[in-house]
Amino acid sequence: MQRYFSSKLSNNYLYLNDDDIYHIKTVMRMNDLDKIEIVYNNKLYICIIEDIKNNIKFKIEKEIDNINSNLPFITLIIPFLKETKMDLILQKATEMGVSEMILCPMERCMVKIDDKKLESKIIRWKRICKEASEQSKRLTISNIKTVKSINELKNLEGHNFTCSTQEKVKNIKKVLKTIKSCDRINLVIGPEGGISEKEENILNSIGFTSISLGNLIMRVETVPLFLMSIIDYEFME
Amino acid sequence: MQRYFSSKLSNNYLYLNDDDIYHIKTVMRMNDLDKIEIVYNNKLYICIIEDIKNNIKFKIEKEIDNINSNLPFITLIIPFLKETKMDLILQKATEMGVSEMILCPMERCMVKIDDKKLESKIIRWKRICKEASEQSKRLTISNIKTVKSINELKNLEGHNFTCSTQEKVKNIKKVLKTIKSCDRINLVIGPEGGISEKEENILNSIGFTSISLGNLIMRVETVPLFLMSIIDYEFME
């Protein structure tokens, strides 16, 4: 069943935005009495479509029991990258259960994004996250934030790690074994060429522990998928 | 240092194909005395470029000790998919250490490839695997094979598993804990909508155990990346 996210509930009806309504009418070609899943406030409802031709409405039929995720709250801190790489990361990390992604300019970023462009980029990135959240049947939409520099990462709550090409002993596996499902994890991923020594020093000084990802040599856009996969695996029951 | 694969060694010189020579001359703009890495017969050599202007040659300077991978020999059996999805899988699974990919038509495949097209597709797929193997500094190129139906999978050596949407108890985590690094693993991944019941029955009858991947709902092209990541993780030291 198709899933959508709503931000408005009133009198046993849930409301969707125009893009979703277009999708229901034109792409899915649904009809009155067809059912869809709508998530509102982290709760899942089965809704019935009414009056699709004129004033489309979504009546709540019933609430479905949540299957609580046993993943920790995961924040990936990601450098600005080329559009295709960024899109891949946002979509796949969302499928794999990331809670939040903080986009951050880093020294070796090949891409610079000025404030003017950033606003429209964020709208686009949020749409990718919403669609991937719907398709992978999440109860929350993965969140996007931006910061202006790594110095702004200093007050993040939880366990803080940065992927490092220097660290040889402490690897992600040793570290994940110490994490509990109720924890928060913040993980910094570097751009092509990795984070610079200066950045690694700053991150270490504000509480981020350097970790290795093992012997694999991965493209930058592969790293978040690798990290999310192994976190999912570690918390699989 | 840039890495290439060679299939010819003679009198302390290694030979590369025309595409690689074009890459060295025109893309990398290298010169005489520049060094490159060349893998021949699973061994890594540092070579020196000679006579780049006329009759380019690659003289072996020294052999480098191999770092043996502690991964098992992994074969992914993958349905025919749309080109962008296929390309992503080939590239990323190679980066993550897959040994071999067997492409196999399945009932719910949206894409059919006839024998005529298949030949040129295979050339293209092998090029993607070679380039990803070079970039991720492997000592082997991930191999591509094709079969005409799942029935041809019946004599594969090793542990045989198929991803299943029906199986609820036996999951990939329980199964991976029983594997040793010297083992061979063959893993079937279904197309959009999964393998059909009939196919799952056939696979079970020829020795493939059905396993679940947990509660995540992933796009088909995400599954191989997830599988390779968690196998890498399981064998990380």
Side-chain angles (χ1 to χ4, degrees), chain A residues 3-211:
Chain A
R3 181 172 298 197
Y4 302 92
F5 285 89
S6 164
S7 52
K8 189 180 162 195
L9 166 74
S10 166
N11 288 329
N12 213 34
Y13 282 90
L14 285 163
Y15 291 79
L16 297 180
N17 70 26
D18 291 345
D19 284 352
D20 293 334
I21 290 173
Y22 177 85
H23 191 260
I24 288 168
K25 284 181 168 177
T26 312
V27 182
M28 301 302 295
R29 294 165 178 268
M30 290 193 181
N31 291 309
D32 282 349
L33 299 182
D34 281 347
K35 292 179 183 181
I36 58 172
E37 294 176 354
I38 300 184
V39 176
Y40 172 76
N41 208 9
N42 301 351
K43 286 188 181 139
L44 175 61
Y45 300 89
I46 303 294
C47 295
I48 300 170
I49 299 177
E50 292 182 357
D51 199 13
I52 196 164
K53 289 250 166 68
N54 302 297
N55 182 26
I56 191 167
K57 290 196 291 186
F58 309 99
K59 188 178 183 180
I60 293 177
E61 190 194 44
K62 59 180 172 188
E63 191 187 328
I64 302 288
D65 274 348
N66 289 1
I67 302 164
N68 281 322
S69 164
N70 53 346
L71 278 188
F73 188 99
I74 302 151
T75 300
L76 294 180
I77 296 119
I78 298 165
F80 287 138
L81 298 167
K82 280 191 194 158
E83 194 160 279
T84 51
K85 295 183 184 214
M86 197 67 109
D87 292 0
L88 182 80
I89 293 173
L90 298 181
Q91 188 193 71
K92 300 287 170 235
T94 297
E95 278 177 57
M96 290 173 167
V98 74
S99 310
E100 185 172 80
M101 288 171 278
I102 300 179
L103 306 175
C104 177
M106 296 182 199
E107 232 173 84
R108 293 185 185 143
C109 280
M110 311 285 275
V111 175
K112 310 256 178 261
I113 300 177
D114 60 37
D115 286 353
K116 250 189 190 168
K117 275 189 193 160
L118 190 59
E119 217 169 297
S120 68
K121 289 267 184 200
I122 291 176
I123 292 172
R124 192 169 168 280
W125 293 333
K126 281 186 183 277
R127 201 181 58 233
I128 293 171
C129 289
K130 178 172 173 285
E131 286 171 2
S133 299
E134 287 167 355
Q135 190 153 20
S136 53
K137 305 248 169 196
R138 291 171 52 134
L139 287 173
T140 53
I141 300 173
S142 53
N143 195 24
I144 301 263
K145 287 182 185 170
T146 58
V147 291
K148 290 214 157 80
S149 97
I150 54 168
N151 292 299
E152 289 182 46
L153 302 172
K154 70 179 161 209
N155 291 321
L156 291 183
E157 218 180 291
H159 300 273
N160 298 322
F161 302 105
T162 177
C163 298
S164 165
T165 54
Q166 305 304 313
E167 177 60 39
K168 301 293 175 207
V169 179
K170 190 171 276 183
N171 71 27
I172 181 79
K173 191 169 181 175
K174 291 175 188 157
V175 151
L176 278 188
K177 300 283 179 201
T178 67
I179 305 275
K180 296 188 186 70
S181 64
C182 55
D183 286 347
R184 294 176 74 111
I185 315 180
N186 308 301
L187 267 159
V188 176
I189 292 154
E192 279 92 352
I195 52 168
S196 71
E197 201 186 320
K198 187 179 148 203
E199 286 171 327
E200 189 159 346
N201 289 338
I202 294 174
L203 285 165
N204 292 160
S205 76
I206 58 173
F208 283 77
T209 306
S210 294
I211 53 165

Side-chain angles (χ1 to χ4, degrees), chain B residues 72-236:
Chain B
F73 188 99
I74 302 152
T75 300
L76 294 181
I77 297 119
I78 298 166
F80 287 139
L81 298 167
K82 280 191 194 161
E83 194 160 278
T84 50
K85 294 183 184 214
M86 197 67 109
D87 293 359
L88 182 80
I89 293 173
L90 298 180
Q91 187 193 71
K92 299 288 169 234
T94 297
E95 276 176 59
M96 291 175 167
V98 75
S99 310
E100 185 174 79
M101 288 171 277
I102 300 179
L103 305 176
C104 177
M106 297 182 199
E107 232 173 86
R108 293 185 185 143
C109 281
M110 310 285 274
V111 174
K112 309 257 177 261
I113 300 176
D114 60 38
D115 286 354
K116 251 189 188 167
K117 275 189 192 158
L118 190 58
E119 218 168 297
S120 68
K121 290 267 184 200
I122 290 175
I123 293 172
R124 191 168 169 282
W125 293 333
K126 280 185 183 281
R127 201 181 57 234
I128 293 171
C129 289
K130 179 173 173 285
E131 287 172 2
S133 299
E134 287 166 356
Q135 190 152 19
S136 53
K137 305 247 170 197
R138 291 171 52 133
L139 287 172
T140 52
I141 300 174
S142 52
N143 195 24
I144 299 263
K145 287 183 186 169
T146 57
V147 291
K148 290 216 157 82
S149 95
I150 54 168
N151 292 299
E152 289 182 47
L153 303 172
K154 70 179 159 208
N155 290 321
L156 291 182
E157 218 180 290
H159 299 273
N160 298 322
F161 301 106
T162 177
C163 298
S164 165
T165 54
Q166 305 304 314
E167 177 60 40
K168 301 293 175 207
V169 178
K170 189 172 276 182
N171 71 28
I172 182 79
K173 191 168 182 176
K174 291 175 189 158
V175 151
L176 279 187
K177 299 284 178 202
T178 68
I179 307 275
K180 297 188 185 69
S181 64
C182 55
D183 287 348
R184 293 177 75 113
I185 316 180
N186 307 300
L187 266 160
V188 176
I189 292 154
E192 279 93 349
I195 52 168
S196 70
E197 203 186 319
K198 188 179 147 201
E199 286 172 326
E200 190 160 346
N201 289 338
I202 295 173
L203 286 165
N204 291 160
S205 75
I206 59 174
F208 283 78
T209 306
S210 295
I211 53 165
S212 135
L213 300 183
N215 296 325
L216 289 173
I217 295 168
M218 290 182 275
R219 287 174 195 238
V220 59
E221 74 276 18
T222 313
V223 175
L225 320 186
F226 175 77
L227 287 172
M228 288 309 304
S229 298
I230 65 178
I231 294 170
D232 288 330
Y233 182 70
E234 192 55 50
F235 289 92
M236 191 184 280

